[in-house]
Amino acid sequence: MGLEAQATRHINPYEVALAQYDRAVEYLKLPRGIKEFLRVPKRELHVNFPVRMDNGDIRIFTGYRVHHNTVLGPSKGGIRYAPRVDIDEVRALAMWMTWKCALVNLPFGGAKGAVVCDPYALSNGELERLTRRYASEISLFISPHGDIPAPDMGTNAQIMAWIMDTYSMTIGYSVPAIVTGKPINIGGSQGRTEATGRGVVICMDEALHRMGHSDPSKIRVAIQGFGNVGSHAAKIAHDLGYKVIAVSDVSGGYFNGDGLDIDDVLAYTATSEHHLLKGYPHADPISNAELLALDCDVLAPCALENQITGDNADQVKAFLIVEGANGPTTPEADDILNRKGVEIIPDILANAGGVTVSYFEWVQGLQSFFWDVDEVNRQLRRVLIRAYDEVVRVRHQYGVDMRTAAQITAIKRVGEATLTRGIYP
Ligand code: NAD
């Protein structure tokens, strides 16, 4: 029975991450004990904490921080605020962070955090109090040389600023390197906000060039998710001349076969309720399911896990999928898409732009020496293309798909580093 059927439509992202790992690790000659070690989280923190709401009530929230692996360096990974996030989702995201950092050769391990909450249903004051209390609760786990959080779904630069301030207040001096994805006026990096979307477009562009498509105006792109990753990917692709024909968010999607005017869409969401696409007047409404099955050339899922599954993979018409989101494609869907000849640029490569510029931000913070945006973007491109080349080389070496090649590359690096360090004591 496939993962989808087993889970009666709830697909557990951790099972997906483990299935991907098992597929890739088979190709590697690592000792069995090392393979088992890399498969499990190193440590996990569960916290339940009270927050005073605006009406005077006290509500209890649950949060997590998982360190999957720290062999290559301090652990790095975002914090997600979402109503239904659970420990397995955080474990999966932490594991993907380990592979992502290793793949792009950053001296980081993998981590992830989350708070079970709907950030859009909280006032600004409630969000700040929740964030500061969560930061305080996980201060056992985070430090500028041990574990460095960043934004993910439902969190942003302001939330990172509150975490940085809370940590700094406790320590007694300012510690900008405790988080990345901060506002620029407190030590954030130029180019960080758009880095993940920029990386998605760098990978898309590279894949298309390798496939012989050199005219962006002939390429129709559909993007699911119009948050940090999706909106910047849409804007950067649009500015390069790609025809972005559809975008969507939790409120639904919009389609224009001649290409959307992304600046107009961004101007709309800048002032719409909750910054949602809902009601956008200059395109035809479509559902998220329709977007995934749209007649287009490139599909960029930039929202959630488990969007392309055994149920809908057959309907995908794009010849290239670039995964801005983490875990948007299940292993069953991978099999179907691979059979159909769809090229997939996997999440740990396609969305690694975010953690790469987070690394630049961390380095700049530790050195108190800041780069301009051209330098950031030049180095980002260099890191991603180097990783892309390596994945293609490994793909040919092992005769596997891009996801398995990316995972093989990453797992091999962490496995070999574990052996070099030795087993303590
Ligand atoms: P975000 O909160 O800024 O945006 C998420 C977007 O997804 C929003 O537009 C939201 O409306 C949409 N969405 C939510 N539920 C949806 C649904 N059911 N159908 C369609 N759209 C839906 O989050 P983000 O930071 O853009 O992250 C998106 C994805 O990218 C996540 O998988 C995240 O882990 C991954 N990612 C983010 C970063 C980063 O730097 N922010 C880096 C690497 C990977």
Side-chain angles (χ1 to χ4, degrees):
M1 198 177 358
L3 288 172
E4 276 97 318
Q6 276 174 33
T8 50
R9 308 323 318 151
H10 172 74
I11 305 166
N12 181 333
Y14 191 43
E15 287 179 21
V16 171
L18 291 174
Q20 292 170 349
Y21 174 81
D22 291 341
R23 255 180 208 196
V25 82
E26 243 184 68
Y27 291 89
L28 293 172
K29 289 191 186 62
L30 291 167
R32 190 145 59 98
I34 299 292
K35 290 183 178 180
E36 282 169 19
F37 170 62
L38 302 183
R39 204 173 182 276
V40 290
K42 178 183 174 69
R43 52 173 91 96
E44 302 180 346
L45 182 64
H46 297 229
V47 292
N48 296 300
F49 57 91
V51 176
R52 193 176 296 283
M53 310 305 283
D54 288 347
N55 66 2
D57 287 354
I58 294 168
R59 253 180 74 187
I60 307 302
F61 289 87
T62 298
Y64 309 103
R65 185 79 187 162
V66 172
H67 295 172
H68 173 258
N69 189 286
T70 59
V71 167
L72 291 178
S75 52
K76 189 89 192 75
I79 292 173
R80 173 171 292 194
Y81 286 179
R84 275 177 296 278
V85 61
D86 62 22
I87 185 65
D88 271 355
E89 188 172 324
V90 183
R91 287 175 177 143
L93 291 161
M95 189 181 205
W96 285 322
M97 284 307 297
T98 301
W99 310 141
K100 194 181 303 181
C101 293
L103 177 64
V104 293
N105 251 317
L106 305 179
F108 285 141
K112 207 79 180 190
V115 177
V116 186
C117 68
D118 178 358
Y120 304 102
L122 298 172
S123 72
N124 210 41
E126 289 168 342
L127 203 54
E128 177 172 355
R129 292 193 292 280
L130 176 145
T131 298
R132 288 185 180 279
R133 180 65 189 238
Y134 170 67
S136 181
E137 296 281 348
I138 64 164
S139 62
L140 298 166
F141 258 41
I142 62 173
S143 68
H145 292 287
D147 176 31
I148 307 114
D152 189 70
M153 267 179 67
T155 59
N156 55 28
Q158 177 60 67
I159 288 174
M160 295 308 112
W162 289 327
I163 295 176
M164 180 264 201
D165 186 69
T166 304
Y167 188 84
S168 301
M169 287 299 117
T170 314
I171 297 283
Y173 52 89
S174 292
V175 190
I178 183 65
V179 285
T180 58
K182 301 178 287 293
I184 287 177
N185 67 352
I186 56 165
S189 178
Q190 299 286 344
R192 172 59 184 92
T193 309
E194 59 273 31
T196 311
R198 183 174 298 283
V200 168
V201 177
I202 290 171
C203 288
M204 171 179 89
D205 209 48
E206 183 67 16
L208 289 167
H209 274 93
R210 285 171 187 255
M211 295 165 126
H213 299 282
S214 52
D215 182 356
S217 69
K218 296 211 171 79
I219 300 294
R220 298 159 306 155
V221 183
I223 300 179
Q224 185 196 39
F226 206 66
N228 176 282
V229 181
S231 70
H232 286 109
K235 167 75 175 141
I236 294 164
H238 178 74
D239 288 352
L240 284 175
Y242 286 100
K243 208 188 265 190
V244 181
I245 59 167
V247 294
S248 71
D249 65 16
V250 68
S251 71
Y254 288 88
F255 165 77
N256 181 340
D258 296 327
L260 295 159
D261 176 349
I262 297 298
D263 292 309
D264 187 57
V265 181
L266 286 167
Y268 181 81
T269 55
T271 55
S272 64
E273 198 184 355
H274 300 306
H275 304 297
L276 290 173
L277 292 163
K278 190 173 180 189
Y280 178 66
H282 303 130
D284 300 324
I286 54 169
S287 68
N288 266 290
E290 286 166 335
L291 181 138
L292 297 172
L294 206 61
D295 183 15
C296 63
D297 302 305
V298 182
L299 176 62
C302 297
L304 303 167
E305 301 85 33
N306 301 328
Q307 295 303 294
I308 308 173
T309 68
D311 285 344
N312 62 0
D314 238 346
Q315 294 158 28
V316 168
K317 297 186 189 65
F319 63 76
L320 174 64
I321 294 177
V322 188
E323 296 182 337
N326 286 306
T329 312
T330 67
E332 254 182 87
D334 271 339
D335 291 341
I336 295 167
L337 295 165
N338 287 336
R339 272 200 300 276
K340 279 173 50 148
V342 177
E343 176 84 337
I344 303 172
I345 310 304
D347 46 9
I348 61 170
L349 176 59
N351 71 35
V355 73
T356 302
V357 177
S358 271
Y359 167 63
F360 299 159
E361 178 176 333
W362 182 71
V363 168
Q364 292 171 76
L366 291 176
Q367 298 183 337
S368 300
F369 181 79
F370 293 88
W371 313 350
D372 64 27
V373 71
D374 291 343
E375 178 67 3
V376 169
N377 289 343
R378 195 176 61 78
Q379 297 281 3
L380 169 62
R381 190 180 170 75
R382 183 184 61 81
V383 167
L384 289 181
I385 296 298
R386 185 182 60 191
Y388 198 115
D389 284 340
E390 180 64 5
V391 174
V392 171
R393 193 188 66 70
V394 171
R395 168 197 216 168
H396 292 311
Q397 181 185 346
Y398 289 91
V400 293
D401 57 85
M402 286 290 276
R403 185 185 317 283
T404 309
Q407 294 247 341
I408 288 174
T409 310
I411 296 167
K412 186 164 186 280
R413 282 194 184 134
V414 184
E416 288 175 353
T418 310
L419 289 170
T420 305
R421 281 180 63 158
I423 304 301
Y424 177 85

